[in-house]
Amino acid sequence: MSKSNTETGGPRPLFTTRLGVIATTVGSAVGLGNIWRFPYEAGVHGGGAFMMLYIAFIIILGIPLITAEYALGRATHRGIFGVFRALKAHRAWNALGYMGVLSAMLILSFYSVVAGWTLEYFFGAVGGAYTDVSREGLHTVFGEFTSGWRPLMWTVLFLVVNYLIISRGVARGIERISNVLMPLLFALIIIFCVNSLMLPDAAAGLTFLFKPDFSSLTAPVVIGAMGQAFFSLSLGLGCMLTYASYFNERTDIVKSATTTAALDTLIAVLAGVLIFPAVFSFGYSPEAGPKLVFEVLPAIFNEMTGGSVWASLFFFTLFIASLTSTISMCEIVVVFLCEEKKMKRRSACAVTIAVALVLGLLCAMSFGYFTGVELPLIGHPDFFSWFDYGTSNILLPLGGMLTSVFAGRVLDRKVFNRQITGSERPSALSRLIGFSLRYICPALIAVIFIVNL
Ligand code: PHE
């Protein structure tokens, strides 16, 4: 099979090192989903029980599904759309390709708004804007900021930065910067965890996070935990598949899938350990939603000497973590436009970013300009929450379900085995993953959908 390059039409570039594989996939997986979305979702959904379920979904659905996306991507060296053509699948499977591209656009839009918030907080922290601000003060600061015009400016700026990077190709630059900044993020999180654990009343936060209260397990909690697992692993929209199209034949797919899932989960749990003790000791409500992290973290930094330095470092690294994730979202759409619509990479990037700009501004306005607005039929135009909920809890799990059916039932077993074991014969591991893709993943996702309805 010829491996086409989306940039030049020549041979498709491949990641050369194992580090490149891990840095890019973990770079995609680790982002706002771990540090911003996981704590607020866990907060809204009762803490411990949510976390246990989330981890269970990562193991039961996440690992087999990343493996499936990796296998499909590397077997064909194509994006989420081209993969079906390369495998001569029925045209109906194109729907999965369209769903992936749509999900990527919608996530990119609301994600860029939050990434913009990290920029505001980074520059604010550099200028010492949050030191000595009281808890109520931080609440007011966030509310005033998000209802004004500055989030619009940051969203535009963030998307322009994305354009500048992706239009040059997923060059070594972003890989190299993730190699440095991901470990830095990890180290910073551990330092902040230690600080957070020393706060008075830290135990209440840990109890909330680690002690499951299964009486709080309702259908929305279950679907929320499943959605969070998909979102956090960048799964169900062909993101991992697209990156795997750059893997070479030596990459051990199952090992890489497990490493990505493990590191991603570790960062999410650490983010919980960092945030919940502070939530309880500063008297916030864990159910604050999307603003949780932005109000609580500056309060932790204020407790530390040199708080504004730590805060600046943290928000900067969070910004980088967002960037490595949004780049992977853009890549899905760009590869689609290049492979299917025969666009040049630069034009494909411009189209992707232009659409994201329009949708992103609508999301940014959900917090301010649209407050109090009621439209016929749809009511309050809360694009931010619609895109967030609709992708994580509906489109991504649905995409995951279809991917598992495709990889488990439609894809030639020999092709699948060769990706997993290197030979056409099955191994115990490829049988286990195949079984999970054929039966467990589709059934579990379907049951959760049905119960939720
Ligand atoms: N996994 C990323 C995060 O946790 C978000 C993401 C979703 C990235 C979908 C790519 C595709 O922040």
Side-chain angles (χ1 to χ4, degrees), residues 192-253:
F192 297 134
C193 280
V194 172
N195 261 285
S196 190
L197 290 173
M198 289 183 328
L199 292 169
D201 232 11
L206 294 182
T207 310
F208 177 77
L209 185 63
F210 287 107
K211 195 157 168 245
D213 167 12
F214 287 110
S215 67
S216 65
L217 268 194
T218 55
V221 177
V222 177
I223 198 149
M226 177 172 75
Q228 176 59 26
F230 275 93
F231 185 86
S232 189
L233 293 176
S234 315
L235 214 51
L237 72 171
C239 186
M240 291 302 180
L241 185 152
T242 305
Y243 270 7
S245 71
Y246 304 119
F247 287 3
N248 65 29
E249 299 310 313
R250 287 188 308 279
T251 305
D252 181 332
I253 278 185

Side-chain angles (χ1 to χ4, degrees), residues 28-34 107 111 230-235 237 239 264 325-326 328-329 332 396:
S28 167
V30 172
L32 296 170
N34 308 63
I107 297 177
Y111 203 95
F230 275 93
F231 185 86
S232 189
L233 293 176
S234 315
L235 214 51
L237 72 171
C239 186
D264 187 64
S325 296
T326 49
S328 70
M329 298 168 205
I332 302 174
L396 301 188

